[in-house]
């Protein structure tokens, strides 16, 4: 579902999603520089119960936060030369470890995402204080239908 949202509405979406996700959820964040991926992640993490100050994992590829209601694994794959590099950091272990994985620049590893995931794409609009946000559940028609009801408005 593609919508134009203000930053305040994007924060509300992040909070709602933080309370919606369950174990082994992968959230793929896609968008150009400055569209709001990290800001979304910070709001999500705070609502999720993460006590630490969330930092961008650009130079580490992944940072772990264990103080929330589930482990949170924050990936930033912008600097990967190829998608196979994601496996060198234990990617499969993270996404199947009972936590939630937020992956910034997920378009770089699309073919390596799990069968089911939540895709959120951010795009610029003419207004500086809003973004086009496209949020979808991928890989399971039943869950996709429920997700559309829960996040359609």
């Amino acid at each position: 579902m593609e919508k134009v949202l203000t930053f305040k509405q994007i924060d509300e979406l992040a909070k709602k999603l933080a309370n919606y996700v369950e174990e082994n959820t992968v959230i793929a964040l896609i968008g150009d520089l400055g569209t709001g991926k990290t800001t979304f992640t910070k709001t999500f993490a705070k609502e999720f119960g993460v006590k630490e100050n969330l930092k961008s994992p650009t130079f580490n590829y992944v940072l772990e936060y264990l103080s929330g209601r589930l482990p949170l694994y924050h990936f930033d794959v912008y600097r990967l030369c190829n998608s196979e590099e994601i496996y060198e950091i234990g990617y499969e272990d993270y996404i199947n470890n009972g936590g939630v994985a937020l992956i910034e620049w997920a378009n770089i590893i699309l073919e390596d995402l799990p069968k089911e995931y939540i895709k959120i794409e951010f795009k610029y609009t003419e207004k500086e204080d809003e973004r086009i946000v496209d949020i979808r559940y991928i890989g399971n028609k039943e869950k996709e239908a429920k997700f559309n009801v829960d996040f359609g408005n």
Side-chain angles (χ1 to χ4, degrees):
M1 298 147 295
E2 192 172 272
K3 300 176 184 183
V4 176
L5 301 176
T6 64
F7 288 136
K8 183 177 179 182
Q9 290 171 314
I10 292 170
D11 283 346
E12 291 305 314
L13 174 65
K15 291 174 184 177
K16 184 175 179 180
L17 192 60
N19 291 300
Y20 180 87
V21 294
E22 54 193 29
E23 288 184 5
N24 298 322
T25 298
V26 172
I27 302 169
L29 301 174
I30 299 170
D32 290 335
L33 279 171
T35 53
K37 297 179 299 296
T38 302
T39 302
F40 178 91
T41 301
K42 286 179 179 182
T43 303
F44 178 97
K46 185 175 180 181
E47 182 71 17
F48 199 65
V50 172
K51 305 290 185 247
E52 301 93 336
N53 187 20
L54 194 105
K55 298 177 236 160
S56 181
T58 300
F59 297 102
N60 303 69
Y61 296 126
V62 64
L63 292 174
E64 299 177 29
Y65 299 95
L66 306 176
S67 59
R69 66 177 176 90
L70 295 169
L72 178 64
Y73 307 114
H74 180 201
F75 289 83
D76 184 326
V77 298
Y78 180 75
R79 294 183 8 178
L80 290 182
C81 294
N82 59 62
S83 64
E84 289 83 37
E85 287 181 52
I86 195 74
Y87 295 99
E88 294 172 13
I89 61 167
Y91 169 68
E92 288 175 309
D93 294 331
Y94 283 110
I95 65 170
N96 297 306
N97 198 21
V100 172
L102 273 150
I103 305 172
E104 294 190 45
W105 299 98
N107 51 302
I108 293 171
I109 62 163
L110 274 180
E111 64 275 2
D112 298 293
L113 291 173
K115 185 182 87 170
E116 292 183 38
Y117 62 95
I118 296 169
K119 176 184 160 193
I120 306 174
E121 188 167 359
F122 300 91
K123 299 176 191 169
Y124 286 109
T125 66
E126 296 294 318
K127 295 183 179 178
E128 202 166 306
D129 66 336
E130 19 175 78
R131 297 290 186 262
I132 297 169
V133 179
D134 186 14
I135 181 168
R136 300 175 188 275
Y137 195 98
I138 306 294
N140 181 315
K141 294 294 182 194
E142 187 177 306
K143 286 183 180 179
E144 181 181 341
K146 182 178 180 348
F147 189 82
N148 288 344
V149 168
D150 292 341
F151 287 88
N153 298 327

